[in-house]
């Protein structure tokens, strides 16, 4: 067998192997992927009904949330006004234990409104606001308490 013929055979086998591997990685075609529309109120493949968003009562709710800073455990007060399941207003009450905490809670209070007003209560989960990343942990803890109050 000559060398060029052997190389051609090996390249052909490698190409077929690669094509087979790629076909094995292709996503399976489901009825939804083929353009079929699932029946209304259909359950998922696991048999569970689609999750519905929790309904919250309109009103003004408040709670304190704790978080840990380099200076120890800190607390931030949160007051949310809920209308139609969405936040319409927010007020932060700083409970600083030292000047550094006071600074960060103040910055957080100044920036939080623009990030959450108009959002549904279930959509709120902040991580960093106006340079303050730790205060958000206390804020999120307070929001969890407020969700329980508003149900």
């Amino acid at each position: 067998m000559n060398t060029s013929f052997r190389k051609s055979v090996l390249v052909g086998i490698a190409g077929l192997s690669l094509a087979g591997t790629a076909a094995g990685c292709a996503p399976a075609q489901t009825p939804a992927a083929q353009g079929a529309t699932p029946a209304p109120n259909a359950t998922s493949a696991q048999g569970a009904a689609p999750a519905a968003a929790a309904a919250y009562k309109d009103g003004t709710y408040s709670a304190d949330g704790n978080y840990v800073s380099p200076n120890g455990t800190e607390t931030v007060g949160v007051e949310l006004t809920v209308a139609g399941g969405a936040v319409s207003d927010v007020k932060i009450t700083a409970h600083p234990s030292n000047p550094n905490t006071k600074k960060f809670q103040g910055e957080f209070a100044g920036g939080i409104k623009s990030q959450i007003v108009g959002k549904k209560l279930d959509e709120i989960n902040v991580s960093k606001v106006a340079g303050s990343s730790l205060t958000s942990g206390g804020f999120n803890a307070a929001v969890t308490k407020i969700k329980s109050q508003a149900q």
Side-chain angles (χ1 to χ4, degrees):
M1 205 183 249
N2 71 27
T3 306
S4 65
F5 179 72
R6 191 176 319 158
K7 284 182 183 177
S8 296
V9 170
L10 290 175
V11 168
I13 291 172
L16 288 174
S17 175
L18 181 60
T21 302
C25 293
Q29 293 292 319
T30 62
Q34 295 172 354
T37 304
N41 297 323
T43 58
S44 68
Q46 290 81 18
Y56 297 103
K57 295 179 265 184
D58 291 353
T60 300
Y61 304 93
S62 61
D64 286 342
N66 296 323
Y67 62 98
V68 178
S69 80
N71 299 309
T73 301
E74 302 288 351
T75 302
V76 63
V78 177
E79 180 180 282
L80 294 180
T81 301
V82 179
V87 175
S88 61
D89 195 22
V90 59
K91 291 182 181 133
I92 301 296
T93 304
H95 299 296
S97 66
N98 65 64
N100 204 26
T101 300
K102 181 177 182 177
K103 173 187 174 243
F104 284 115
Q105 286 187 1
E107 290 173 356
F108 184 91
I112 189 65
K113 192 171 200 169
S114 66
Q115 290 200 22
I116 67 163
V117 169
K119 286 190 175 184
K120 297 288 184 188
L121 203 50
D122 283 332
E123 295 173 357
I124 297 173
N125 186 14
V126 297
S127 60
K128 187 174 185 177
V129 176
S132 177
S133 57
L134 298 178
T135 307
S136 61
F139 176 83
N140 291 331
V143 169
T144 298
K145 293 175 186 177
I146 289 171
K147 287 179 184 180
S148 295
Q149 295 171 16
Q151 288 184 336

